Amino acid sequence: MALSASVAVLAAVPVLATPAAAEIGYAVPSSWSYIDLSSPLRSFDQGDAPVGSWRDEAGRFHFAAKSYFTFDLTPYQGGRVQRVTVSTRETSVNDCTKPRTTQLWVTDQPDHLSWLHQPALRSMLPGPGAAPGCVSSYLEWDAAAAVNAAVQAGKRSITFALRLPIEHQLDPAYGRHHRNSLTMYIDHNEPPYVPTNLSNGGKPCAEGSFFGNTDLSLSAFVDDPNHDHMDATFAIWPVDRPDQRRELTAAGTFGSFSTVVLRQGTLADGVTYQWAVRATDRTEVPAASAWSEPCRFTVDMTPPGLPTVSSTDYPENPPEPIGGPGVPGRFTFDANGSADVVGFRYGAFGEKYVAADRLGGSATVDFAPDWSGPFALQVRSVDRAGNASETRSYGFFVRDNTPTVTSPTGEGGTLGELKRFDFSPGPSGAVAYDYRLNFGPVETIQANPDGTASISVEVAPEFNDIMVWSVSATGVRSSPNWFFFYIEVPGS
């Protein structure tokens, strides 16, 4: 069964109106030199950078000079270059009446550079743009395409040749000199970091993750060295059917978690899925991280079987009432052959949880019923995917352990007189009694050796009540006995 592409994205970041900024910097050549037809077997790296032909101070002619500049590209590997400008300035011009025809080319890497051993030309850059003046203080070429292509090809350096077109190389009128260092201004976008902290349904990524028929969130921490906003792409596929790979996208920003939610019903029962995530920044020339290490989970929608329940303190369906409210008993729950059970839910309404001692094992708890009379302990097995079994209802009859409360004046009395109450223990016995008059504070009185006790209290006019609990020698507090009475008001 293929994974449905119907997903909901949580914690999405709105798409930016403009691309996020990347890192802007500049670089200078790692080496430079020029060649001159007048010295065809060597190159030079002193003085200004000439192009074309000229006469030196000694009156000697130099012909068809070309200058080469090599830049290190290793700082930009793995990223995307968005804008690159290569610039220089002129230091002298032979004839201001002649137009500027200077070119900048990308060449192969120079090797033993000389006029007779020139690197091959590859592409001419757009330009130059120039500041006004015969001797321009600023020339620039657009090198973005050339540098980005070199970076994406994994090249560690790039070389530019400053030269004149062939038809002007031997004409001294077109010759010019430049400063001997180009400057490369580069808008470089490093890729996001590989996403980390992958989690399934809020649980750290692990081979043993199991989920039932529920919404399932996949999350990963994404970050970017340029602090760009980004998109996280989640790829998910059945482990044994990689051709069913699907990709889901969530918006994010640097230093945060991105999440997609697989809606209930979009995953197949009994299938183990694998997923990975990568981040792509939202820049003009987007860069993507590598894919994360894969995460894995298994879908299990089959609930376990009924558990067994046993207790010697509260045996099921006893012949007579036993224990009492608040009196704990020991109960053992067993997975009853369901091998993937990890725990049990139990209680009068199944509200508590206890882990099994091992996968498919059992658990023992101390549990006290809350009331006397018929009582059913509700128990369900829970498997590692969170599926719960049907309810095992374990029934027994709880003995009434409430104390007896009497008064010599019965349910009546006279205002202004102290009213006496006598307490007698239930089946659990008593070493003390807690009592509360008219919803006031709880008071405690110690019992006599026979378990009885008496108090005398000042009461209010008309309707009154007293609530009494016995406390056994083991500290068990009984169910309360509530005694109502009426105090007459003279003349009423």
Side-chain angles (χ1 to χ4, degrees):
M1 177 177 178
L3 171 68
S4 168
S6 173
V7 298
V9 177
L10 301 182
V13 176
V15 175
L16 302 179
T18 57
E23 183 177 353
I24 301 175
Y26 73 93
V28 295
S30 57
S31 64
W32 90 280
S33 56
Y34 73 89
I35 57 176
D36 176 357
L37 180 58
S38 305
S39 301
L41 298 178
R42 58 174 299 194
S43 62
F44 305 88
D45 58 5
Q46 300 294 319
D48 290 340
V51 293
S53 301
W54 81 99
R55 187 191 295 271
D56 63 23
E57 294 178 354
R60 181 184 176 211
F61 271 104
H62 300 264
F63 299 99
K66 303 170 187 178
S67 296
Y68 294 83
F69 303 86
T70 298
F71 288 84
D72 181 14
L73 296 182
T74 56
Y76 315 110
Q77 296 301 314
R80 289 279 184 176
V81 174
Q82 297 182 173
R83 286 172 291 274
V84 183
T85 298
V86 176
S87 66
T88 187
R89 63 179 175 85
E90 294 173 332
T91 56
S92 65
V93 175
N94 293 349
D95 185 348
C96 286
T97 66
K98 298 298 183 181
R100 179 182 297 108
T101 60
T102 314
Q103 300 173 341
L104 191 66
W105 284 75
V106 177
T107 76
D108 286 347
Q109 180 70 33
D111 182 21
H112 304 295
L113 181 65
S114 69
W115 181 263
L116 296 181
H117 191 69
Q118 300 182 34
L121 299 175
R122 293 304 175 188
S123 61
M124 188 174 72
L125 302 187
C134 172
V135 181
S136 178
S137 61
Y138 186 80
L139 304 178
E140 68 172 11
W141 289 264
D142 180 1
V147 173
N148 193 52
V151 169
Q152 298 310 309
K155 294 184 178 180
R156 302 179 64 84
S157 64
I158 189 170
T159 298
F160 300 109
L162 195 64
R163 51 170 284 163
L164 295 182
I166 294 175
E167 62 269 24
H168 295 157
Q169 288 181 7
L170 297 177
D171 187 343
Y174 287 89
R176 295 167 182 261
H177 281 70
H178 307 78
R179 65 188 298 264
N180 63 14
S181 177
L182 299 183
T183 300
M184 185 167 69
Y185 293 93
I186 185 165
D187 187 350
H188 173 239
N189 179 32
E190 296 178 88
Y193 299 116
V194 177
T196 60
N197 293 8
L198 277 63
S199 65
N200 302 308
K203 301 176 183 178
C205 181
E207 288 291 324
S209 293
F210 292 82
F211 298 94
N213 189 23
T214 183
D215 289 353
L216 176 60
S217 62
L218 310 180
S219 297
F221 183 79
V222 296
D223 204 359
D224 184 84
N226 305 125
H227 291 185
D228 292 331
H229 293 283
M230 64 193 78
D231 293 315
T233 301
F234 293 76
I236 180 170
W237 63 95
V239 169
D240 59 349
R241 296 190 294 275
D243 58 305
Q244 293 185 7
R245 177 187 177 103
R246 298 289 185 271
E247 292 188 356
L248 318 170
T249 300
T253 188
F254 66 92
S256 66
F257 280 89
S258 288
T259 302
V260 295
V261 176
L262 308 176
R263 291 301 184 194
Q264 182 178 0
T266 61
L267 299 172
D269 187 19
V271 174
T272 297
Y273 291 92
Q274 192 160 280
W275 62 278
V277 61
R278 71 175 180 183
T280 304
D281 59 27
R282 295 203 204 112
T283 54
E284 184 175 330
V285 183
S289 73
W291 287 97
S292 70
E293 288 296 317
C295 191
R296 181 176 291 197
F297 65 89
T298 299
V299 178
D300 175 9
M301 302 180 190
T302 303
L306 277 173
T308 60
V309 182
S310 61
S311 174
T312 57
D313 297 317
Y314 284 96
E316 190 172 21
N317 300 320
E320 59 183 24
I322 193 169
V327 179
R330 184 149 292 184
F331 295 82
T332 298
F333 314 138
D334 188 87
N336 195 24
S338 294
D340 60 348
V341 167
V342 295
F344 305 89
R345 296 197 180 279
Y346 69 100
F349 306 101
E351 67 277 12
K352 299 179 180 181
Y353 177 81
V354 61
D357 58 357
R358 56 184 172 78
L359 190 63
S362 61
T364 298
V365 300
D366 289 330
F367 175 80
D370 299 316
W371 60 82
S372 60
F375 192 94
L377 180 62
Q378 310 293 329
V379 184
R380 294 188 297 167
S381 295
V382 179
D383 69 16
R384 56 192 170 183
N387 301 306
S389 71
E390 294 185 0
T391 301
R392 168 75 162 90
S393 185
Y394 181 87
F396 48 94
F397 203 94
V398 181
R399 183 171 54 193
D400 185 4
N401 65 354
T402 57
T404 300
V405 182
T406 60
S407 175
T409 54
E411 296 181 359
T414 303
L415 187 65
E417 296 181 354
L418 295 178
K419 186 172 176 65
R420 176 179 164 180
F421 295 92
D422 297 322
F423 307 149
S424 299
S428 302
V431 296
Y433 294 90
D434 293 338
Y435 67 92
R436 183 177 66 189
L437 179 65
N438 294 330
F439 296 98
V442 175
E443 307 279 352
T444 300
I445 183 174
Q446 298 302 309
N448 299 315
D450 63 356
T452 63
S454 297
I455 62 170
S456 294
V457 294
E458 184 177 344
V459 295
E462 300 185 340
F463 294 101
N464 289 260
D465 68 81
I466 187 170
M467 197 174 202
V468 183
W469 300 264
S470 63
V471 181
S472 73
T474 59
V476 174
R477 199 187 202 198
S478 72
S479 296
N481 193 341
W482 212 326
F483 187 91
F484 296 91
F485 57 97
Y486 184 85
I487 301 299
E488 294 183 355
V489 178
S492 62

